[in-house]
Amino acid sequence: MDLTYFGVELFKRNKQRQMNFDYFAVDGSNEKAYKTVKKLFKNKTEYSPLYIYGKSGLGKTHLVTAIAKEMEDDKNFLLINCEDFVNEINNDKDIEKYYNYDFFIIDDIQYIMLKEKAKTELVKLINYFIENNKKMILTSILPPQIIFKDNEDIDLSKGVITEITMPKVRIKREVAKKFEEDEEVVFNNVRLGELINESTTVENFLDKLDEEKFEITFKG
């Protein structure tokens, strides 16, 4: 067996499996986003649309993937990456289906920048969800005033706009403890400190924990 290949595949599976609420450690950097998502679960549509923004790797995709896992059997829910949304519009595919969902998430909407046709369709969709009290979450590395700066036909202030910022070191230690329990592995404290210092975000830290586990498991 090619352990290098096996390690890569194991890493991919673990990465996807870890994108759940258990691994979404909460502190002041992401608490508002987390709590608002939970309120949307309880059908409190006054919190919609929820716009979450922040630098790459801070947990936006992690959070919406966790939602998708909780709602995987709900046919009225959809999570889509904005790049796929843009491609469908550019290929003149029918997007009317999106209006039928009761809970719709578009991840990474920064891809809509400079795509005027797609942006127009997205604005129509957002306004429809607002007018019909449906639930919507948008994520981006950029704040809404940059994404929609030239568009006066949208008012995201009717929902919630929140930024996810850099987490404290304590969060990484909580994630490491959860990882050790789930994966039945124990990291050397010195090495764990090195991984914490080397990682820039929680997502990056999870990547490093997976790599370290592979080293321990398959290379001794």
Side-chain angles (χ1 to χ4, degrees), residues 179-192:
F179 187 99
E180 287 180 321
E181 291 172 353
D182 287 355
E183 302 297 325
E184 298 181 346
V185 63
V186 177
F187 298 116
N188 175 278
N189 283 332
V190 174
R191 180 57 181 151
L192 185 59

Side-chain angles (χ1 to χ4, degrees), residues 4-15:
T4 301
Y5 172 78
F6 181 76
V8 170
E9 292 303 303
L10 180 65
F11 173 82
K12 289 179 180 177
R13 290 199 301 274
N14 281 347
K15 180 74 171 176

Side-chain angles (χ1 to χ4, degrees), residues 15-144:
K15 180 74 171 176
Q16 182 64 22
R17 179 168 55 78
Q18 290 157 3
M19 282 191 174
N20 55 46
F21 285 122
D22 288 340
Y23 273 95
F24 193 82
V26 181
D27 74 352
S29 68
N30 56 26
E31 185 177 21
K32 185 177 179 180
Y34 177 80
K35 286 186 174 180
T36 307
V37 163
K38 289 293 188 178
K39 288 172 182 175
L40 282 174
F41 267 132
K42 297 178 181 178
N43 291 317
K44 295 186 177 181
T45 55
E46 65 266 30
Y47 296 95
S48 179
L50 169 59
Y51 189 106
I52 305 172
Y53 71 99
K55 293 180 180 179
S56 180
L58 294 182
K60 300 181 299 297
T61 297
H62 183 148
L63 186 55
V64 295
T65 302
I67 298 169
K69 287 183 176 181
E70 293 288 328
M71 303 190 69
E72 61 183 351
D73 296 324
D74 190 334
K75 294 181 180 179
N76 291 313
F77 168 85
L78 181 68
L79 163 63
I80 187 173
N81 184 278
C82 189
E83 195 169 8
D84 295 329
F85 180 80
V86 170
N87 288 337
E88 288 203 359
I89 293 172
N90 288 342
N91 293 326
D92 294 320
K93 291 189 177 180
D94 181 16
I95 64 166
E96 291 299 315
K97 58 188 176 186
Y98 296 134
Y99 288 81
N100 297 324
Y101 290 100
D102 293 327
F103 195 166
F104 187 43
I105 299 176
I106 307 182
D107 193 25
D108 287 332
I109 68 165
Q110 65 270 10
Y111 285 108
I112 213 81
M113 297 286 287
L114 305 179
K115 308 287 194 311
E116 291 305 317
K117 181 179 178 182
K119 186 185 290 187
T120 298
E121 293 300 328
L122 178 59
V123 168
K124 290 179 183 177
L125 188 60
I126 293 171
N127 285 333
Y128 177 84
F129 269 72
I130 292 173
E131 292 164 6
N132 290 274
N133 293 316
K134 292 190 173 190
K135 295 181 287 185
M136 173 177 273
I137 298 177
L138 308 166
T139 76
S140 174
I141 61 173
L142 300 171

